[in-house]
Amino acid sequence: SAVISQKPSRDICQRGTSLTIQCQVDSQVTMMFWYRQQPGQSLTLIATANQGSEATYESGFVIDKFPISRPNLTFSTLTVSNMSPEDSSIYLCSAGQATGNTGELFFGEGSRLTVL
Amino acid sequence: GENVEQHPSTLSVQEGDSAVIKCTYSDSASNYFPWYKQELGKGPQLIIDIRSNVGEKKDQRIAVTLNKTAKHFSLHITETQPEDSAVYFCAANAGKSTFGDGTTLTVKP
């Protein structure tokens, strides 16, 4: 299993600013992902965080808006850039051991962002 | 890409009754089907999963069934308890996870 710590747990941000969310896993994991969850909605995959290389983004998400770093097997960051109220959401970090995302995912408790 | 539909969106049962949540998927390449439980203010947590080479799996009060031909899978919770109240998500994996829209289960004491 893996325990995932995310910070901040919540924040209120001003339009046009950027915020970086940190994700720390208590053990080395193969895969790390970032999801977005609107309140009361499902989870949407933003990108796969690749160790030492550029993240793999899903359709509708771009690196300029959501730059991601993963310097090692236990840590990743997601930045939400030039925020607008539409970016208000819960951002979830997840991790798994299986390649191809075919195994159990462990989730952090999420970072709830409100953009004014 | 994969499309996962989940029903019902809300489900209310009396304590002790059974609850069933159903999901359908579109991509025949999907081979891993997890179910997650999300409590208020927390991240989703895996409660049971099934792979495409298995038709049914049970873990105490929770069971999952898979029909690959029809491309649907279901979560069954028996003898429900108030602490089962949460949002449940199904997912289908064909290289990456696609989640259903979630079911809010309320168990009334």
Side-chain angles (χ1 to χ4, degrees):
Chain A
S1 66
V3 176
I4 299 177
S5 302
Q6 272 184 249
K7 55 181 180 181
S9 58
R10 58 178 63 234
D11 207 338
I12 299 173
C13 308
Q14 296 299 316
R15 182 195 299 259
T17 63
S18 299
L19 181 78
T20 296
I21 302 167
Q22 297 182 2
C23 176
Q24 179 72 54
V25 188
D26 71 341
S27 58
Q28 293 187 345
V29 290
T30 307
M31 310 294 290
M32 291 185 75
F33 308 93
W34 287 97
Y35 286 85
R36 183 170 70 183
Q37 185 178 30
Q38 305 281 7
Q41 303 294 318
S42 186
L43 289 78
T44 300
L45 181 63
I46 297 172
T48 301
N50 300 310
Q51 186 206 354
S53 64
E54 190 173 292
T56 304
Y57 290 85
E58 297 300 308
S59 176
F61 298 96
V62 295
I63 187 171
D64 289 346
K65 177 67 175 176
F66 298 101
I68 289 170
S69 77
R70 188 181 174 191
N72 56 50
L73 290 175
T74 64
F75 186 77
S76 179
T77 66
L78 167 74
T79 298
V80 186
S81 303
N82 188 25
M83 287 184 285
S84 66
E86 293 71 35
D87 295 319
S88 296
S89 190
I90 300 168
Y91 293 85
L92 291 158
C93 173
S94 74
Q97 290 293 12
T99 57
N101 198 7
T102 56
E104 176 178 4
L105 292 179
F106 302 94
F107 286 87
E109 297 204 334
S111 298
R112 181 183 291 268
L113 302 188
T114 301
V115 184
L116 303 178
Chain B
E2 176 66 277
N3 182 48
V4 178
E5 294 189 358
Q6 183 172 345
H7 299 281
S9 57
T10 61
L11 180 59
S12 181
V13 300
Q14 287 295 134
E15 182 177 0
D17 288 349
S18 295
V20 179
I21 304 170
K22 298 181 179 182
C23 288
T24 61
Y25 62 98
S26 61
D27 191 343
S28 57
S30 288
N31 57 8
Y32 175 64
F33 306 91
W35 287 88
Y36 292 87
K37 176 183 180 182
Q38 186 175 29
E39 298 177 337
L40 195 63
K42 295 187 179 293
Q45 184 174 12
L46 181 77
I47 56 171
I48 196 166
D49 56 11
I50 192 167
R51 299 190 183 274
S52 58
N53 58 347
V54 176
E56 183 174 356
K57 183 176 178 181
K58 189 173 182 180
D59 183 4
Q60 299 183 336
R61 297 187 296 109
I62 296 173
V64 57
T65 59
L66 171 65
N67 183 328
K68 282 187 61 180
T69 303
K71 295 194 184 71
H72 67 70
F73 55 113
S74 300
L75 176 71
H76 304 253
I77 305 174
T78 59
E79 301 173 24
T80 53
Q81 302 167 3
E83 49 266 39
D84 294 328
S85 296
V87 180
Y88 291 81
F89 291 97
C90 64
N93 290 60
K96 62 182 179 182
S97 298
T98 301
F99 286 80
D101 287 340
T103 296
T104 300
L105 173 64
T106 303
V107 180
K108 299 177 182 178

